Amino acid sequence: MRSTSLTIKAFACLAAGAASVSAQRDYYFNFGSSAVVQERLDPLVNPGALAGHVHSVVGGNAFAATMDFGTTQSSSCTSVDLIADKSNYWMPSLYFHKNGKFTLVPERSPKHKIYYKYGDRGQPGADRSEFPKGFRMMAGNANLRSDDGSLGSGGSQLQWYCHGPEVQSAGIPKGFTSCPHGLAAAMRFPSCWNGQDFNKDQPLAHMAYPTTGVGLIDGCPAGFQKARFPEIFIEFWLEVSQFDGQYGANESPFVLANGDPTGYGFHMDFLNGWQEGVLARAMRTCRPGNTGDPLDSPQCFGAGSVQNGDAKERCKKSTSVNEDIGLNGPLSQLPGCNPIQAGPGLATKPANCPGGAGVRSSTSDPSPATSATTAGLAPTTTSSPPVSPTTSAAAGPRPTETVPPAGGSSEMSPPSVNSTSGVWKAAGCFLDALNPRSLGSRPQWWGQKISSSNCVEHCDSIRAKYAGTENGGQCFCGNELLNSASHPGKCTSKCDGDGSEICGGPGHLSIYSRDGLVSVKKRRTHRRHIRHFSASI
């Protein structure tokens, strides 16, 4: 899973009752996203009307109070990496509560991560269907204020994680006064379908979580074997550093937009807007979670299928609700009718809730200069489960390949760095493979914003052989580069710590070494899906 954070949680298997590590053969891909709008709408639970609380919405910019598949396809752009995905994903916004005021917590856009897990036992798309047009589902329960048993390995697997002190909990964690590298909530959607449509009065009734770690249709419970979809897992990233030192270690100053200070009521919604046939085709052959195939490779979504970070950041939608949600400063109460309810019992709807906001016609901001079609893929005409080709697992270590220096590629900035021990040279832009990652399992440096220069200085100080920066904000150090390949042109992210320098790109490393050379080693990859709560493997 491609990284956008400075931290990593120890890995855990997604499926309940998972088989042994050696027996698992899971496949997955992931992509980054940013919010297209924050507003009090929910076309699933409150179609055509105001929602109960504010949501952060990711995906197509045609999001509206009333939606169907056609609405998603009218989006002029999408705020996720993959152009063919005009779906919408939304979750409650977070506020900082102090002295009776509610401050909207900014998001670490484009740091939200969306993962699609599919396939099992060497069959990438075995028994996995793409979502029907306009398919809708939810994960989680907005009224929860304690763990009712639905949040564990057999359910949504909700986790909150403070990055910096590394504090983790099923609810919003305590035990810190600073969360310098972000606060994240992570949750998975159910993937087993009974064939019925979404019912807002019973929003969870048509879907179920798999009962075994086996990825085939018989891993679904009885009555929910109409189809098994890819399992969507989302990490929702928040920037809370501005509140450092304003709360004690035993305090809980954060509250969700639905009045939940516990975090157990975190939930997510999904409305399918994938271009028909694209997801089905990719699941048959795309294995980025195992071999590091880029998402725009022929095995995955094809050339031109992935937009750059600037394009998705420009994709926005004007709000449809005439209401201040905190973008102009702290609020005296949460938008809607959401008094704080800490439980532990289920939250209840207060009586005599005032109105005050209205819904106006939805408008989408101009689309970025990016085609809304997916080049390189011919969509199929059926939504039946994809047919899986025969696959073979990688076998044993492979030879080492020495890659020559980049030769002054313009994307490598700076071309060299003076460190304490001498000059380090740019070696080029390289793929960051997954499980294991190419340059170590986690970023290894904390304390300030990253640049390629200060990353090299740090790696030099710990006597590492290679230094690598990724996606503008990460520094990796290591003595070998695993399962990687040279990918010129993919390192385009400006460094958070120095905008004149380049720090890799999404899923790609700007590599430096003392001689400008890199030896890439090939090793067997673990064919399993692994999860963490930091958008980083």
Side-chain angles (χ1 to χ4, degrees), residues 55-405:
H55 292 103
S56 176
V57 184
V58 166
N61 69 339
F63 186 77
T66 302
M67 292 187 71
D68 57 16
F69 182 76
T71 311
T72 68
Q73 299 308 288
S74 69
S75 295
S76 59
C77 61
T78 179
S79 68
V80 303
D81 287 336
L82 290 166
I83 298 170
D85 184 14
K86 294 182 179 179
S87 306
N88 285 117
Y89 313 78
W90 60 99
M91 56 286 295
S93 296
L94 188 73
Y95 289 81
F96 178 78
H97 183 218
K98 186 177 178 66
N99 298 328
K101 297 293 185 179
F102 296 89
T103 302
L104 183 65
V105 176
E107 300 173 10
R108 288 176 67 92
S109 296
K111 307 290 186 180
H112 307 326
K113 301 295 289 185
I114 302 174
Y115 303 84
Y116 275 66
K117 175 196 173 223
Y118 52 97
D120 186 81
R121 298 178 183 272
Q123 303 177 57
D127 281 12
R128 295 302 174 101
S129 302
E130 66 177 6
F131 300 104
K133 291 182 178 180
F135 176 81
R136 303 170 292 170
M137 66 176 170
M138 286 182 59
N141 182 345
N143 295 322
L144 280 185
R145 297 297 183 269
S146 60
D147 189 349
D148 66 347
S150 67
L151 307 178
S153 61
S156 68
Q157 298 181 350
L158 170 65
Q159 288 287 302
W160 288 83
Y161 202 54
C162 172
H163 294 286
E166 306 302 304
V167 180
Q168 175 191 351
S169 173
I172 298 175
K174 298 180 182 179
F176 54 89
T177 59
S178 173
C179 203
H181 302 300
L183 181 70
M187 174 178 276
R188 68 168 181 163
F189 282 91
S191 55
C192 299
W193 185 40
N194 66 5
Q196 301 299 309
D197 196 4
F198 177 87
N199 182 344
K200 68 183 182 68
D201 297 320
Q202 295 180 300
L204 306 178
H206 70 313
M207 295 294 294
Y209 288 97
T211 55
T212 74
V214 178
L216 308 181
I217 191 68
D218 56 4
C220 290
F224 291 87
Q225 296 184 350
K226 178 70 174 179
R228 186 165 181 179
F229 302 123
E231 187 170 278
I232 302 175
F233 173 77
I234 298 180
E235 292 173 342
F236 180 57
W237 279 78
L238 299 146
E239 179 57 73
V240 297
S241 59
Q242 71 186 78
F243 309 110
D244 288 355
Q246 298 185 42
Y247 53 93
N250 295 320
E251 294 183 86
S252 180
F254 300 104
V255 57
L256 287 168
N258 56 341
D260 174 21
T262 71
Y264 292 110
F266 186 77
H267 54 283
M268 294 181 174
D269 299 65
F270 169 71
L271 194 153
N272 176 44
W274 278 92
Q275 181 182 328
E276 190 175 13
V278 171
L279 185 57
R281 176 170 176 169
M283 287 191 293
R284 297 171 188 165
T285 57
C286 186
R287 304 174 182 81
N290 300 101
T291 64
D293 292 338
L295 291 183
D296 58 358
S297 68
Q299 296 86 358
C300 294
F301 294 90
S305 61
V306 179
Q307 60 182 341
N308 62 42
D310 289 342
K312 69 181 181 184
E313 281 293 294
R314 289 198 304 269
C315 184
K316 300 296 179 184
K317 168 192 174 296
S318 300
T319 181
S320 303
V321 181
N322 184 22
E323 175 180 53
D324 182 10
I325 64 169
L327 295 174
N328 300 315
L331 305 172
S332 59
Q333 62 182 20
L334 292 170
C337 190
N338 293 288
I340 294 179
Q341 299 185 61
L346 293 174
T348 58
K349 183 178 180 179
N352 303 317
C353 289
V359 180
R360 56 176 175 256
S361 298
S362 175
T363 57
S364 300
D365 289 347
S367 64
T370 303
S371 171
T373 61
T374 301
L377 286 177
T380 59
T381 58
T382 175
S383 60
S384 59
V387 178
S388 304
T390 301
T391 62
S392 59
R398 298 179 187 176
T400 297
E401 174 189 2
T402 300
V403 181

